[in-house]
Amino acid sequence: MSAPFLTSDPRPPRPAWVEVDLDAVEHNLRQIRSDLPAHVRLMHVVKDEAYGLGALEVARCSVRLGVDALATFTVGEAMRLRTRGIEAPILLLGERTEEEFPWLVDHRLMTCVGSLAVAEALNAFAAREQRRITVHLKINSGMNRFGFPWRSAADWAPAVARLPHLEIAGALTHFAQSDELIKTFARQQLANFQEAVAILRQSGVPVPCLHTCNSGGFLDLPEAHADMVRVGILALGVYPSAVCRRLPDLRPVMTVKARITALQHLEPGDTVGYGMRYRAETPRRIAVLPLGYGDGFPRVRNEGAALIGGQRAPLVGGTAMDAITVDVTDIPTAQLGDEAVLMGRQGDAEITAHDVAALKRSVSYDVLAGWRGRLPRLYVRRGR
Ligand SMILES: *Cc1c(COP(=O)(O)O)cnc(C)c1O
């Protein structure tokens, strides 16, 4: 049976939804915390609505557990937390543009800075405002996305040292490959980062907090833990990859569900859905679930399944915008109103985010965050 919903979407009910187990979030954060050496701080990355779960509800769990800081990508994401009472330190990932600067001061947001041009503009802005702005220096150690290039640290570090209105609270880098078996490049990035940090310090820039690890690095690169780790997906009970799963006993947080809203009986030769891509060879019983690619369900044909009555019901035909069709011939108890699971557990059966990722030809991150806003998020506490 479903647990009672804690908070529900203000929108009208819909027989398709995402269930978020907040006790599981807290359990996972506790497991992560207790696995970390006591001196290493924990930053919880809740960007993109905490990967689709709802950043506010997830961040409240982090705050309750005393997580040291939160991270979002956009100013808007951070603002949604601030205006709803989240006081914890928030670091904005990525890079800022000038029109975003005023929001940093007004709402106590820290930002990553990854170029001298932005650092100088931010310093000038802070000077005009007569405020200091807290930044973390992003160092590009080989990912080649955001960040000061590690190779030329000797060129930019002295210039960074001359920006009196910036409070440099830390330095970070991001791994291109932390969740695969071979860690050679991650170790090279760590060495590059350390070299750049040494030059920064020689140039008179104090960098109190160093951080490099995402979930993959936290799990598999203890030598890179430094002063803080930045964990996102692992707190949701999903391992970053199939080979990166050191910490046992994490609980999946997200379950995608729908109710059977129609049933059809097929005679041999009957087809299902657009393009008539499925043709019954024997009499079949088909259940219709009212969610589709308009909700983030992968656009597949005759692939994948839903769990109904604790059994796998294979998807037949294709994913439409608003519906999928599954074969329940072998689940004779299935009836209108029954709950189906599209991602998550039902009884002993499970469809993982990685399973859905395989259907979507993508990664679990994209799957979690890809369940669209049209699906209500319902928050539960299961205890345990
Ligand atoms: C998203 C992100 C993280 C968190 O990554 P996970 O693999 O979800 O733990 C950490 N650091 C940066 C810079 C990120 O963009």
Side-chain angles (χ1 to χ4, degrees):
M1 269 314 288
S2 293
F5 298 130
L6 280 183
T7 50
S8 53
D9 209 290
R11 293 174 291 183
R14 182 182 166 193
W17 69 98
V18 175
E19 235 168 77
V20 179
D21 182 346
L22 296 178
D23 283 323
V25 176
E26 295 189 5
H27 167 85
N28 296 338
L29 285 170
R30 261 187 238 109
Q31 294 292 105
I32 293 165
R33 180 64 270 175
S34 63
D35 188 73
L36 267 179
H39 70 276
V40 180
R41 279 177 266 172
L42 177 60
M43 169 177 274
H44 187 186
V45 180
V46 295
K47 61 190 178 191
D48 198 3
E49 289 297 342
Y51 302 13
L53 295 176
L56 178 64
E57 289 75 7
V58 170
R60 282 179 177 153
C61 293
S62 339
V63 168
R64 187 184 357 242
L65 291 199
V67 158
D68 300 283
L70 300 168
T72 67
F73 187 76
T74 71
V75 177
E77 290 169 345
M79 284 305 302
R80 236 181 73 76
L81 299 179
R82 281 282 181 265
T83 57
R84 287 165 180 77
I86 302 287
E87 303 277 335
I90 301 179
L91 175 66
L92 300 173
L93 304 171
E95 192 68 279
R96 304 277 75 75
T97 53
E98 289 211 33
E99 70 260 32
E100 296 174 288
F101 292 171
W103 299 82
L104 305 177
V105 215
D106 295 347
H107 305 282
R108 292 180 304 105
L109 305 175
M110 304 182 282
T111 183
C112 290
V113 172
S115 77
L116 203 51
V118 175
E120 285 171 347
L122 198 53
N123 182 68
F125 173 79
R128 286 197 299 278
E129 296 288 309
Q130 300 182 309
R131 299 284 279 275
R132 272 160 71 86
I133 294 180
T134 306
V135 303
H136 286 235
L137 299 175
K138 180 74 178 272
I139 294 171
N140 168 17
S141 62
M143 174 97 162
N144 288 315
R145 208 172 52 174
F146 298 111
F148 288 94
W150 66 275
R151 273 197 202 93
S152 56
D155 301 332
W156 51 261
V160 169
R162 291 190 295 268
L163 302 173
H165 302 282
L166 299 187
E167 163 103 30
I168 295 167
L172 71 153
T173 196
H174 193 44
F175 292 127
Q177 203 181 37
S178 64
D179 60 3
E180 289 172 43
L181 277 181
I182 310 290
K183 307 292 186 196
T184 317
F185 191 64
R187 295 208 170 86
Q188 183 60 53
Q189 282 191 265
L190 179 61
N192 296 345
F193 174 67
Q194 284 163 342
E195 195 180 312
V197 167
I199 293 172
L200 263 172
R201 286 181 170 158
Q202 282 157 24
S203 311
V205 182
V207 266
C209 178
L210 302 182
H211 46 116
T212 68
C213 288
N214 53 2
S215 291
F218 157 66
L219 287 173
D220 287 356
L221 290 161
E223 69 270 38
H225 283 174
D227 300 310
M228 182 165 78
V229 295
R230 307 183 300 268
V231 169
I233 199 162
L234 202 62
L236 311 182
V238 177
Y239 294 101
S241 77
V243 295
C244 185
R245 43 191 313 127
R246 178 180 59 79
L247 199 63
D249 188 29
L250 294 179
R251 296 180 192 153
V253 167
M254 187 185 226
T255 309
V256 181
K257 294 184 173 180
R259 291 191 189 285
I260 299 177
T261 47
L263 287 160
Q264 303 294 342
H265 288 273
L266 306 185
E267 294 298 331
D270 284 354
T271 63
V272 177
Y274 291 119
M276 305 187 304
R277 300 294 180 149
Y278 173 82
R279 187 177 297 271
E281 283 169 13
T282 54
R284 312 299 312 168
R285 190 163 173 254
I286 302 297
V288 182
L289 302 174
L291 85 177
Y293 60 76
D295 300 293
F297 192 88
R299 195 167 173 281
V300 289
R301 266 185 202 135
N302 301 316
E303 257 191 302
L307 305 176
I308 295 173
Q311 279 177 262
R312 291 178 71 83
L315 189 145
V316 293
T319 305
M321 186 181 285
D322 304 315
I324 59 171
T325 33
V326 296
D327 187 332
V328 292
T329 314
D330 298 331
I331 312 172
T333 54
Q335 56 178 329
L336 279 183
D338 278 5
E339 211 172 270
V341 166
L342 289 313
M343 190 181 85
R345 286 187 190 149
Q346 193 187 57
D348 294 330
E350 182 173 14
I351 297 172
T352 66
H354 293 286
D355 295 334
V356 181
L359 288 179
K360 209 173 174 182
R361 278 101 185 133
S362 186
V363 292
S364 52
Y365 293 79
D366 176 36
V367 167
L368 296 174
W371 296 106
R372 305 245 306 252
R374 191 166 78 144
L375 286 174
R377 266 57 174 173
L378 300 176
Y379 298 92
V380 298
R381 288 207 175 260
R382 292 189 202 293
R384 287 190 302 167

